[in-house]
Amino acid sequence: MVMRKGAGKDEAAIIAREDVLPSVDDDELEPRFRAVTGGGERRGIRLERIYWDGLGRMSEAGGISIGDLVFHTAAEMPETGNLASLLRVLSFKWVLSRLDAVEDVASLTNLNAVLQASPTPAVVLTQERGIKLFNDAFLKMLRHRLPMIDDVQQTARTLRLSIDTQIEEVLSVLLANRGKTLNTGFKIGLGSQSLTGQINLALAPTHEAPMLIGYISV
């Protein structure tokens, strides 16, 4: 988010909401009627499209039809319950549980473990070309190739790694070609010392801001 200079608190709150909240069109707000059959029973239900989408993913993951999912949900519902409301809550809770699982796997902690498991010097780069994470092999490379560094670990945290391709271009190419990598040249300059080579870049598997994971060869 880019904050305009001089923006007041109210305006700042509006800008923040615009960055966080997705757009919603009128069609998505309109409940849609569907007749579903499960357990030998047929029911007509009205739900917004996003909840039908959620139920569809739930049923696919569970290997059952939406009709059977609705039937089993209705069977567990209290007599005074509202089936449509229960399905909305069920759909949303399922999505949140999947989101929690994905965020746990795609955490910076796990990303660091992937980095440390590599015998090749490797780093995670931010959009500002800052080094977010690095592995022990990267530190060993710096000690060997830039011997005048006093505190290698602290220096690694503050280094800026320059690559031959604009980082925005790298992100754009990799986002458009999921599962692919991009090889380009890099340079690290520190006083009179410099280090050049090739770096193989991929999208970092993290839910944080877009970052790149790079494997270095010199």
Side-chain angles (χ1 to χ4, degrees):
M1 181 182 72
V2 178
M3 188 66 67
R4 291 192 297 273
K5 188 175 181 180
K9 289 184 178 179
D10 291 342
E11 186 178 359
I14 291 172
I15 294 171
R17 286 198 300 272
E18 289 176 346
D19 281 357
V20 172
L21 295 177
S23 60
V24 179
D25 58 44
D26 292 340
D27 182 59
E28 292 177 301
L29 297 174
E30 187 66 29
R32 297 183 174 196
F33 177 84
R34 284 181 63 176
V36 296
T37 301
E41 298 181 7
R42 183 178 174 86
R43 288 182 173 85
I45 303 170
R46 286 186 180 277
L47 293 173
E48 290 78 9
R49 186 175 70 192
I50 194 168
Y51 295 112
W52 282 121
D53 290 345
L55 293 176
R57 293 196 179 197
M58 285 180 65
S59 65
E60 184 177 350
I64 62 174
S65 67
I66 291 180
D68 286 335
L69 177 62
V70 171
F71 172 76
H72 291 302
T73 301
E76 299 294 327
M77 183 180 65
E79 291 184 7
T80 57
N82 182 295
L83 182 57
S85 294
L86 181 57
L87 289 170
R88 288 186 179 95
V89 172
L90 187 67
S91 173
F92 191 64
K93 286 187 70 174
W94 184 83
V95 169
L96 284 181
S97 69
R98 293 295 287 260
L99 178 62
D100 287 341
V102 169
E103 288 188 344
D104 182 55
V105 171
S107 66
L108 285 177
T109 301
N110 281 339
L111 179 57
N112 187 56
V114 171
L115 220 61
Q116 297 305 330
S118 171
T120 301
V123 295
V124 170
L125 296 177
T126 66
Q127 287 180 287
E128 295 74 34
R129 292 183 291 113
I131 298 176
K132 183 74 173 179
L133 299 170
F134 50 85
N135 64 1
D136 290 339
F138 180 73
L139 291 179
K140 290 178 182 178
M141 181 192 70
L142 291 182
R143 289 191 186 100
H144 177 68
R145 300 298 296 269
L146 303 175
M148 292 176 62
I149 298 176
D150 293 326
D151 188 340
V152 176
Q153 195 149 22
Q154 181 59 36
T155 300
R157 292 193 181 96
T158 57
L159 279 176
R160 288 293 181 272
L161 190 151
S162 175
I163 60 176
D164 294 347
T165 309
Q166 289 290 332
I167 203 160
E168 293 81 6
E169 181 183 344
V170 175
L171 285 168
S172 177
V173 169
L174 294 179
L175 284 168
N177 298 274
R178 298 282 184 172
K180 302 295 184 180
T181 62
L182 188 150
N183 191 271
T184 189
F186 81 90
K187 179 178 181 180
I188 294 175
L190 191 66
S192 61
Q193 301 182 94
S194 64
L195 174 61
T196 60
Q198 295 290 306
I199 184 167
N200 202 30
L201 297 165
L203 291 175
T206 175
H207 65 87
E208 308 281 344
M211 287 182 274
L212 297 168
I213 185 168
Y215 297 93
I216 292 171
S217 59
V218 293

